[in-house]
Amino acid sequence: MSKQQSTARSKSKTLFHLMNSVISKTLIPSISLRSSTRLTLTTNLPRHYKVHLPRLMSSESSQRLFQLKLDPLTGNSEWVVIEDNDELPGCSKEPLLASTSYLDMLNDSYRNKAYRLAIDKTVTKPCHVLDIGAGTGLLSMMAARAMGFNGTVTACESYLPMAKLMRKVLHRNGLGKAINLINKRSDELKVGVDIPSRADVLVSEILDSELLGEGLIPSLQHAYDNLLVGNPLTVPYRAVTYGQLVESTYLWKLHDLYGIEAKASDGICLVPTGLDSIIHVKSQQYPMHCDAIRNEIKLLSEPFKIFEFDFWKRPESHRETEVQIKVIDDGNIHALVSWWVLQLDREGTIFYSTAPRWINSPANIGNGNWCDHWKQCVWFFQGKGMPVSGGQEVLLEATHTETSVSYNLNVQVPQTDIRQHDYGVGDFQLLLSPERIATYGDSEWRLSMLAAVRNALHGRVNTLCVVVDDSIFLTLLAVNLSKTSHVVSLFPGLREMGAQYLENVAKANDFSMDRAEVPEKRKACLTLHDTHGRKVDMLIGEPYYYANEGMLPWQNLRFWKDRTLLDPVLSEDALIMPCKGRLKACAMSLPDLWSSRCCLGEVEGFDHTIVNTTLGACGELPSPKEGPCLPFSIWQCGEIKELSEIFTILEFDFSKPISSCHGKAEVQFTEHGMCHGFVLWMDWVMDAENSIVVSNGPDHRYWKQGVKLLSKPVAVGINGSKSASEIGSTVVEALFEPASSELIIKHAFS
């Protein structure tokens, strides 16, 4: 081994140790990062989970991406190294970029057309065009074509797998030499080193649902300071954010656990009086398809302008504004719904909008188009809601930083909503997702859990109960319902946060911490030494694993894996809850979702067929490739319709150790329509009598379902009354392999 190779390996080893240290401290379940000027850990969790590491590899070494591969059944992860000259990993099994928004963006014809029109209008002669966040290179190719392929185009794409895919797209379209692709962050580019000169035109699409979350402002600032000529042309030209005040019981339930829990009758206080801030959502905007809850929203104001962002000049990092808003109806202000309108050309003739469909404006091109990559955003106002009357004026205070926007309403909080602080909680706060807050506040769910745990504890004394997942509710139930039980909560995701939480709420829930234990160190499994020589009488879970709400529902079969690892410490008559899991499914019409995930052909005149497999498209893929199962909140997926009865494909028996499972079901269609795929979820059977079942299906909006889209829509009908062109039934089967943590779904129309 050469000295250079030895040094590189040593640095890589040091880097791996550092990354794993960061992972263990920040609870990040899914991370990818690349090596350049700095290493950035990125995840689909909220932005506060992102961290930065110093550069540990020399610039002479080849470009590397460290992709963190998570095993959902164990919670463990391993780093997969992608070298610059490697083929894209994951293509043989699971598409690497299937869970990204690239495919959805490229299927957004309104977006693509707007950019093409604006670029053709702006880039009218040979010049130097810089494309920041180039993706597959679509905007770069548009710019090159607009100049008659005579100018210079620099495409900057920092994510290595995407840059590798872009090279293939450029080659497929004969533009491999016409566009200079640089696999770096834009703030790493240097004139005279990476690019020959400052650029005359900037094209970019580094926008998220909030507008600023992908680093728009710092990217523009660096470009204006270092990469662009004075007074450059830009596409887009400007963006304006808008908002509307709303009342919605559904949105209220997503954040005010204290207010919701006041109506509970189970005696459990997740948020005791005086500790109303101990559990709450992070103060940020949350992307949501608000059209899906239009009938549950009461509009309390007309739309109003909040901020204007000009792309044609260097933006400011921080601004504040005040908006005087006239209330149009009586109600309680629970939230602010926001969106943005993009003006792509200087003259103001080409627009794209993310407004909900109830907003009617000539500029709102795109707002009638369902897509998943850009949604509206929701900002929650604290408490039960702020009561207002029609004609009243309220003052909205808005602030933006480089990456986010926040709001405050200057409205007097009524005396009935003032919360006294009786206990000292210090600075501790447990941040949970809105969906988890709503789950903990759901009365039906709480009563199901209460009945299940009460039945499990019936007739048992001095019980050693292990809560194997991250459920604080089950922990409080167990210590509350049995005064002689000892509860060990593993909290694999919450860890010390779970212990701190229990310490803070123990007094209000009338138990002492000598009856509730959280292991200090994370362990793969408990031993009899950990349980002080006692066998475990009860092993329970919801199951719920902290920060994993975005995963496929059956990945909570991690509970089964955990139960298997704990088998040596279980007593002979140990009760396991839930006792079974059932994989349920329903055939559905999903035209909007299917259209956003279908295979690409030409996009604005450029061949994109080569990206389909890597991006996880559904459609005519090369055999044996097929689209993956992906998690979606079905109720937010635009137009939907059930076409069959709900059926069971697989049943998992948690009384036995984890094992391979295979199941098959024949599906009879009960409605006429176009079938676009199957929606799948888990039902958790909490008791041996099958009387208490907790479902994660489409009717329960706080969970995501898995979706297996067909390669092409199929006309289906009811046997006995279907036409000759309709299919009356099909067979669906599933294979679960714990060794690979995979659930394979197959279907065969007959």
Side-chain angles (χ1 to χ4, degrees), residues 166 477 596:
M166 180 180 171
L477 268 182
S596 75

Side-chain angles (χ1 to χ4, degrees), residues 304-368:
F304 48 84
K305 182 188 292 188
I306 305 172
F307 283 114
E308 193 170 287
F309 298 91
D310 291 319
F311 291 66
W312 55 270
K313 63 181 181 181
R314 190 185 191 279
E316 299 177 55
S317 297
H318 179 277
R319 282 187 297 165
E320 298 178 357
T321 189
E322 293 183 345
V323 185
Q324 199 77 21
I325 305 166
K326 186 175 182 179
V327 177
I328 60 173
D329 204 346
D330 299 345
N332 290 292
I333 302 174
H334 291 131
L336 181 147
V337 175
S338 68
W339 62 91
W340 45 259
V341 175
L342 200 62
Q343 177 186 328
L344 288 101
D345 64 328
R346 178 184 293 180
E347 294 77 16
T349 62
I350 305 170
F351 294 92
Y352 184 99
S353 172
T354 64
R357 292 179 180 177
W358 68 73
I359 301 297
N360 295 313
S361 170
N364 286 346
I365 297 173
N367 73 320

Side-chain angles (χ1 to χ4, degrees), residues 175 326 511 575 667 682 695 700 712:
L175 295 174
K326 186 175 182 179
F511 72 91
L575 184 142
V667 187
M682 292 294 298
S695 178
H700 302 273
K712 57 183 177 180

Side-chain angles (χ1 to χ4, degrees), residues 376-442:
Q376 296 78 50
C377 281
V378 173
W379 175 275
F380 302 116
F381 293 111
Q382 293 183 357
K384 300 177 183 178
M386 302 175 182
V388 290
S389 303
Q392 179 181 350
E393 290 198 346
V394 297
L395 184 67
L396 178 74
E397 299 166 344
T399 302
H400 82 74
T401 64
E402 289 186 345
T403 56
S404 65
V405 183
S406 59
Y407 305 98
N408 183 55
L409 262 185
N410 190 356
V411 176
Q412 179 77 33
V413 179
Q415 293 297 311
T416 56
D417 200 33
I418 294 178
R419 299 166 183 176
Q420 301 299 321
H421 295 265
D422 300 327
Y423 306 101
V425 67
D427 294 328
F428 177 75
Q429 293 178 330
L430 182 59
L431 296 180
L432 298 177
S433 71
E435 291 76 17
R436 178 62 3 190
I437 294 283
T439 299
Y440 278 152
D442 184 83

Side-chain angles (χ1 to χ4, degrees), residues 247-521:
E247 175 184 86
S248 170
T249 300
Y250 175 77
L251 296 179
W252 169 63
K253 288 180 177 180
L254 291 175
H255 75 278
D256 186 20
L257 183 55
Y258 177 87
I260 304 166
E261 198 175 47
K263 302 178 181 180
S265 57
D266 49 38
I268 302 301
C269 296
L270 289 170
V271 185
T273 301
L275 301 182
D276 50 287
S277 64
I278 194 169
I279 294 179
H280 65 105
V281 298
K282 180 177 170 60
S283 295
Q284 67 177 47
Q285 296 198 91
Y286 290 89
M288 183 182 297
H289 289 289
C290 291
D291 286 312
I293 56 170
R294 176 63 185 93
N295 294 334
E296 301 171 67
I297 285 179
K298 183 178 184 180
L299 303 177
L300 296 180
S301 77
E302 297 292 347
F304 48 84
K305 182 188 292 188
I306 305 172
F307 283 114
E308 193 170 287
F309 298 91
D310 291 319
F311 291 66
W312 55 270
K313 63 181 181 181
R314 190 185 191 279
E316 299 177 55
S317 297
H318 179 277
R319 282 187 297 165
E320 298 178 357
T321 189
E322 293 183 345
V323 185
Q324 199 77 21
I325 305 166
K326 186 175 182 179
V327 177
I328 60 173
D329 204 346
D330 299 345
N332 290 292
I333 302 174
H334 291 131
L336 181 147
V337 175
S338 68
W339 62 91
W340 45 259
V341 175
L342 200 62
Q343 177 186 328
L344 288 101
D345 64 328
R346 178 184 293 180
E347 294 77 16
T349 62
I350 305 170
F351 294 92
Y352 184 99
S353 172
T354 64
R357 292 179 180 177
W358 68 73
I359 301 297
N360 295 313
S361 170
N364 286 346
I365 297 173
N367 73 320
N369 176 44
W370 188 92
C371 61
D372 203 47
H373 63 100
W374 286 329
K375 310 169 188 175
Q376 296 78 50
C377 281
V378 173
W379 175 275
F380 302 116
F381 293 111
Q382 293 183 357
K384 300 177 183 178
M386 302 175 182
V388 290
S389 303
Q392 179 181 350
E393 290 198 346
V394 297
L395 184 67
L396 178 74
E397 299 166 344
T399 302
H400 82 74
T401 64
E402 289 186 345
T403 56
S404 65
V405 183
S406 59
Y407 305 98
N408 183 55
L409 262 185
N410 190 356
V411 176
Q412 179 77 33
V413 179
Q415 293 297 311
T416 56
D417 200 33
I418 294 178
R419 299 166 183 176
Q420 301 299 321
H421 295 265
D422 300 327
Y423 306 101
V425 67
D427 294 328
F428 177 75
Q429 293 178 330
L430 182 59
L431 296 180
L432 298 177
S433 71
E435 291 76 17
R436 178 62 3 190
I437 294 283
T439 299
Y440 278 152
D442 184 83
S443 59
E444 182 181 347
W445 180 88
R446 288 173 70 117
L447 288 174
S448 294
M449 290 296 173
L450 173 66
V453 175
R454 178 182 287 151
N455 293 347
L457 286 167
H458 181 70
R460 294 176 180 265
V461 294
N462 298 320
T463 303
L464 176 57
C465 175
V466 171
V467 179
V468 75
D469 62 359
D470 286 305
S471 180
I472 56 175
F473 186 76
L474 286 186
T475 301
L476 294 183
L477 268 182
V479 295
N480 183 276
L481 292 175
S482 174
K483 303 303 181 184
T484 62
S485 64
H486 184 78
V487 180
V488 178
S489 293
L490 299 187
F491 290 154
L494 289 174
R495 302 190 201 174
E496 64 271 11
M497 292 188 296
Q500 286 180 268
Y501 169 78
L502 292 180
E503 290 171 2
N504 280 289
V505 302
K507 180 180 177 182
N509 284 277
D510 194 27
F511 72 91
S512 60
M513 283 302 293
D514 60 355
R515 292 184 47 232
E517 178 185 349
V518 180
E520 291 184 4
K521 295 182 179 180

Side-chain angles (χ1 to χ4, degrees), residues 606-617:
F606 297 104
D607 186 351
H608 274 70
T609 56
I610 200 169
V611 310
N612 287 322
T613 300
T614 306
L615 297 186

Side-chain angles (χ1 to χ4, degrees), residues 621-636:
L621 297 174
S623 180
K625 306 292 185 185
E626 59 179 67
C629 282
L630 294 173
F632 287 97
S633 296
I634 289 300
W635 67 277
Q636 290 193 54

